[in-house]
Amino acid sequence: MGYVIRPARPDEWEQSRELRLAALQDPVAPVAFARTYAEESAMGDERWRQRAAGAGSQQFAAVRDGRWVGMTVVVEERPDYFSVNAVYLVPEERGTGLADRLLAAALEWGWQRTDRLHLWVHEKNPRAEAFYRRHGFARTGRTMRSPVDEAYIEYELALDRP
């Protein structure tokens, strides 16, 4: 399978939107993402264009046969805090090793800008936490209420530059 992992371009906002909205409709979305389909499907084209332009962030696309099949983004939330967000693969690409390659691209970009990367994982998403732990991320001890459902908590994980 010929995958290409590459930085997304601002002019690809429509592909980004399409895959993001598909991700937010996935059955795992409530424990995988901090926003909902209802919130993001209501965003106008200009907001999607701004998101794709992403000052202080970089989205990565996994592309196969011209189709986006995966994505993630690294966001500079503040000068000393970069986070990995929105890691997603279409269901038929899961378990192929593509997520490892996608995360590796995001980490490489992040290491050019910071010595520590963060992310948040939902308490009901042990598969995601296991994936990140396999890559060296560890809980920091910080928690927060899930933005989607405050009955649950999310754990902050971090990884220091090797």
Side-chain angles (χ1 to χ4, degrees), residues 131-153:
F131 170 75
Y132 296 123
R133 284 181 175 274
R134 188 165 49 83
H135 287 276
F137 282 87
R139 287 187 186 181
T140 65
R142 291 183 60 207
T143 63
M144 71 174 177
R145 292 283 168 199
S146 170
V148 174
D149 184 344
E150 291 191 0
Y152 297 99
I153 62 168

Side-chain angles (χ1 to χ4, degrees), residues 14-15 17-18 25-26 47-48 71 84 98 106 136 146:
E14 291 172 299
Q15 293 94 322
R17 176 183 60 192
E18 179 182 342
Q25 292 179 69
D26 190 289
R47 177 66 184 108
W48 285 102
M71 66 181 178
V84 177
L98 183 57
S146 170

Side-chain angles (χ1 to χ4, degrees), residues 19-70:
L19 190 57
R20 175 66 174 176
L21 293 178
L24 292 170
Q25 292 179 69
D26 190 289
V28 301
V31 298
F33 303 110
R35 300 204 28 145
T36 66
Y37 177 81
E39 290 172 305
E40 294 203 6
S41 65
M43 290 177 10
D45 291 354
E46 187 56 32
R47 177 66 184 108
W48 285 102
R49 285 184 186 98
Q50 290 170 353
R51 182 185 271 187
S57 68
Q58 179 61 62
Q59 183 177 44
F60 292 87
V63 182
R64 184 172 56 92
D65 299 327
R67 177 178 168 240
W68 280 34
V69 297

Side-chain angles (χ1 to χ4, degrees), residues 67-127:
R67 177 178 168 240
W68 280 34
V69 297
M71 66 181 178
T72 191
V73 65
V74 180
V75 177
E76 180 181 8
E77 295 186 27
R78 53 183 195 263
D80 63 339
Y81 195 95
F82 283 74
S83 63
V84 177
N85 295 306
V87 178
Y88 178 74
L89 296 179
V90 295
E92 61 269 22
E93 302 297 341
R94 295 174 189 160
T96 64
L98 183 57
D100 297 308
R101 293 179 53 204
L102 193 56
L103 182 61
L107 295 177
E108 182 179 333
W109 185 88
W111 295 143
Q112 295 172 21
R113 289 151 181 84
T114 188
D115 290 329
R116 185 170 231 220
L117 290 165
H118 302 84
L119 58 86
W120 291 87
V121 66
H122 194 283
E123 69 177 289
K124 296 288 185 183
N125 199 348
R127 182 176 180 194

